[in-house]
Amino acid sequence: MSDNATPSPGEFIPIPDQHYAALGKVADAWADLEFDIDQLIWKLMRTDQALGACVTAQMISTHPRFRALSALVRLYPVSDKTVKKLGAISGEVAGLSTPRNRTIHDKRMMWAKTREVVRFQVTADAELKFGPQPESITSLGEFKEKILAARIKFDDLRKQIEAEIEASPDKWKSPLPHITRWSGPQPEPPVGLSAVTLVFRHKHVNPKLLRV
């Protein structure tokens, strides 16, 4: 049978390995980006990486990661300009998230006569999309480069965030709130928190507020 002939019923036509390799490179680039975000979250949480990983492992995309990261960064003496840059890179990565999801999760098929690989999209986000979408090794490579470019921007921003925190004489932008529970002697505030609001709850007694 020639390459352009219609395949016989039941004939298996494999997707070229080169196409699978291009898909794998996209997946790998995105995994690197998410891992970079996780590492910065762990660092700003000031906890062991294994403990922080128990939290970030529950985040199934970059969206909650960036929300958590934004909240953490705002607790530190980081400039408004840098916070805005974080919002910008978050938006840029969000724009890559949907095509990344389709790249990873959609089924691949081939046109019978041309042997052209297509991505078969099945989504219904307000509008149904049910059909083949063009996808080439070249387009996958170009998309991978977009992810890599976003990762480079994030790494530059990470360095800026860490530098601003390191250069500041203050550990936090403002004193962090803290709550605790006790039934014996009044506990001391956590080390490093100069002004906290503690909620003291005695057994069988209503909560009491005490500012120290």
Side-chain angles (χ1 to χ4, degrees), residues 54-66:
C54 291
V55 176
T56 55
Q58 313 310 316
M59 301 175 180
I60 60 173
S61 72
T62 58
H63 300 303
R65 284 177 166 86
F66 271 114

Side-chain angles (χ1 to χ4, degrees), residues 12-28 103-104 106-110 117-118 135-138 140-141 144:
F12 174 69
I13 305 176
I15 303 294
D17 289 344
Q18 296 90 331
H19 201 97
Y20 282 130
L23 287 170
K25 290 179 180 180
V26 169
D28 186 62
T103 298
I104 300 303
D106 285 352
K107 180 176 177 57
R108 264 65 192 183
M109 297 183 178
M110 295 180 70
V117 178
V118 294
E135 180 183 81
S136 65
I137 293 175
T138 299
L140 289 170
K144 181 202 68 175

Side-chain angles (χ1 to χ4, degrees), residues 24-34 143-145 147-148 151:
K25 290 179 180 180
V26 169
D28 186 62
W30 193 264
D32 285 342
L33 174 59
E34 287 193 340
F143 184 54
K144 181 202 68 175
E145 291 301 320
I147 298 172
L148 293 178
R151 186 186 176 200

Side-chain angles (χ1 to χ4, degrees), residues 44 70-78 171-174 176-177:
L44 296 186
S70 178
L72 284 167
V73 166
R74 292 169 191 270
L75 295 176
Y76 287 87
V78 174
K171 183 177 180 180
W172 309 109
K173 181 171 289 187
S174 60
L176 299 182

Side-chain angles (χ1 to χ4, degrees), residues 22-58:
L23 287 170
K25 290 179 180 180
V26 169
D28 186 62
W30 193 264
D32 285 342
L33 174 59
E34 287 193 340
F35 193 73
D36 287 349
I37 301 170
D38 285 348
Q39 286 185 298
L40 184 54
I41 291 175
W42 302 338
K43 185 167 186 177
L44 296 186
M45 287 176 67
R46 296 183 182 268
T47 186
D48 290 338
Q49 291 184 343
L51 298 179
C54 291
V55 176
T56 55
Q58 313 310 316

